[in-house]
Amino acid sequence: MDFVGFEKHDHTICIGDLIARAEAVCRENNLQFTASRRRVLEILAETHKAMGAYDILDRLAQEGRGSQPPVAYRALDFLVRHGFAHKIEHLNAYIACAHPHGCHAPAFLICRACDAVAETAWTPKIGGLGQAARGAGFSIERTVIEATGLCPRCDVEPRA
Amino acid sequence: MDFVGFEKHDHTICIGDLIARAEAVCRENNLQFTASRRRVLEILAETHKAMGAYDILDRLAQEGRGSQPPVAYRALDFLVRHGFAHKIEHLNAYIACAHPHGCHAPAFLICRACDAVAETAWTPKIGGLGQAARGAGFSIERTVIEATGLCPRCDVEPRA
DNA sequence: GCGCAGAACGTTACAACATAACGGATTGCC
DNA sequence: GGCAATCCGTTATGTTGTAACGTTCTGCGC
């Protein structure tokens, strides 16, 4: 299992890759990757931190793309629905998908000091939990796996 | 791993056990198990469904215990902080702890049809995730593990 | 019992997060 | 060109959660 988010890396590649992937998927599936949706994904992709819907809305408003909540929420719904972004339930915030390739039941490591978020791919029916759920007769459709704590940098030097 | 919540059971025992346990823990640790806190725990314990803070507040208001949000949130904070209740992040709702004995990194199965919630005890550093997190240098302090889907009853007969 | 410190409470006010509903514009398709 | 479906912009409102302040209660040393 690998994580994305805490290591230094060439971030322009992250962004380019993500956008390109989204474009391709939309083309294949006849989804409309509209200007607003694209822009929201770009904004999310600028950072590996989770952003609130209203943070995004502020950005859109600055750019003259409309200033009311539904503008942001609709784009986010689309991105989340199709796996281009994820919602961090614990923070009521959104983040670009860090694994645009392949399927998805992501898990997140959230640093409570610097708000960085790392994402990992996760086996579809999470080891023990999936098995136990089936044992209980429960059929899992979606999972929320979020761990809060300190990332490598903040663990060493608090207030990084 | 076992779950609590979907099976039929003598619910008065659930409640009694939970309250008694909370009382004991508070006595041992010099925590004030005040009337409001106890009442909120009782309200939560009446059902294996998650309740919103404002649902609880309504109940408290009916009983003349104060009608402003902080009344409910303060009691809930206390209960969650000391492990007598949990917050279901996915629902922004709260539920009584179903495993008042022993330590805690709980996982939840949430039925999207009937809103029942089952809780399981979980190994402290969740199998693969904990290991991978340590590998990445991340120290986990708290986990949110929530699976949404259909419980045994709703899976068979939708709209139960 | 008295006085103090810390915790808990009640209330006002507000901040943050999210959606319903409507009409107009755009897109894909025949 | 016309139709259906989708998307967009806006108004309004609903839901969830906190900051802050003064009062009351509780535990505790005297």
Side-chain angles (χ1 to χ4, degrees), chain B residues 24-42:
Chain B
V25 170
C26 287
R27 215 173 320 125
E28 283 164 28
N29 296 89
N30 289 313
L31 303 172
Q32 300 183 43
F33 195 48
T34 64
S36 290
R37 290 168 178 178
R38 168 195 283 272
R39 190 68 196 111
V40 169
L41 186 53
E42 287 170 355

Side-chain angles (χ1 to χ4, degrees), chain A residues 32-42 74-75 78-79:
Chain A
Q32 300 184 43
F33 195 46
T34 63
S36 290
R37 291 168 176 177
R38 173 200 213 79
R39 190 68 196 110
V40 169
L41 185 54
E42 287 170 356
R74 283 199 282 239
F78 173 88
L79 296 173

Side-chain angles (χ1 to χ4, degrees), chain B residues 3-137:
Chain B
F3 292 95
V4 177
F6 296 146
E7 308 81 17
K8 288 204 192 308
H9 59 285
D10 185 341
H11 197 63
T12 60
I13 293 180
C14 273
I15 301 180
D17 195 34
L18 178 58
I19 302 288
R21 187 72 192 174
E23 251 173 4
V25 170
C26 287
R27 215 173 320 125
E28 283 164 28
N29 296 89
N30 289 313
L31 303 172
Q32 300 183 43
F33 195 48
T34 64
S36 290
R37 290 168 178 178
R38 168 195 283 272
R39 190 68 196 111
V40 169
L41 186 53
E42 287 170 355
I43 291 170
L44 283 177
E46 284 173 10
T47 167
H48 284 294
K49 307 195 176 188
M51 296 182 73
Y54 282 69
D55 296 335
I56 291 166
L57 182 58
D58 286 345
R59 296 282 303 270
L60 294 177
Q62 284 169 25
E63 300 171 7
R65 284 177 189 282
S67 58
Q68 300 308 313
V71 172
Y73 280 105
R74 283 200 282 240
L76 288 168
D77 282 351
F78 174 87
L79 296 173
V80 169
R81 192 146 27 90
H82 295 100
F84 305 135
H86 303 291
K87 179 172 186 184
I88 307 291
E89 299 287 349
H90 180 64
L91 300 174
N92 293 319
Y94 303 82
I95 191 165
C97 175
H99 292 272
H101 316 276
C103 72
H104 253 83
F108 300 97
L109 301 182
I110 306 160
C111 179
R112 68 170 161 77
C114 71
D115 289 326
V117 175
E119 175 184 350
T120 178
W122 189 259
T123 57
K125 293 294 177 184
I126 315 125
L129 181 58
Q131 215 163 2
R134 276 192 299 279

Side-chain angles (χ1 to χ4, degrees), chain A residues 77-91:
Chain A
D77 282 351
F78 173 88
L79 296 173
V80 169
R81 194 146 25 93
H82 296 99
F84 305 134
H86 303 291
K87 179 173 185 184
I88 307 291
E89 299 288 348
H90 181 63
L91 301 174

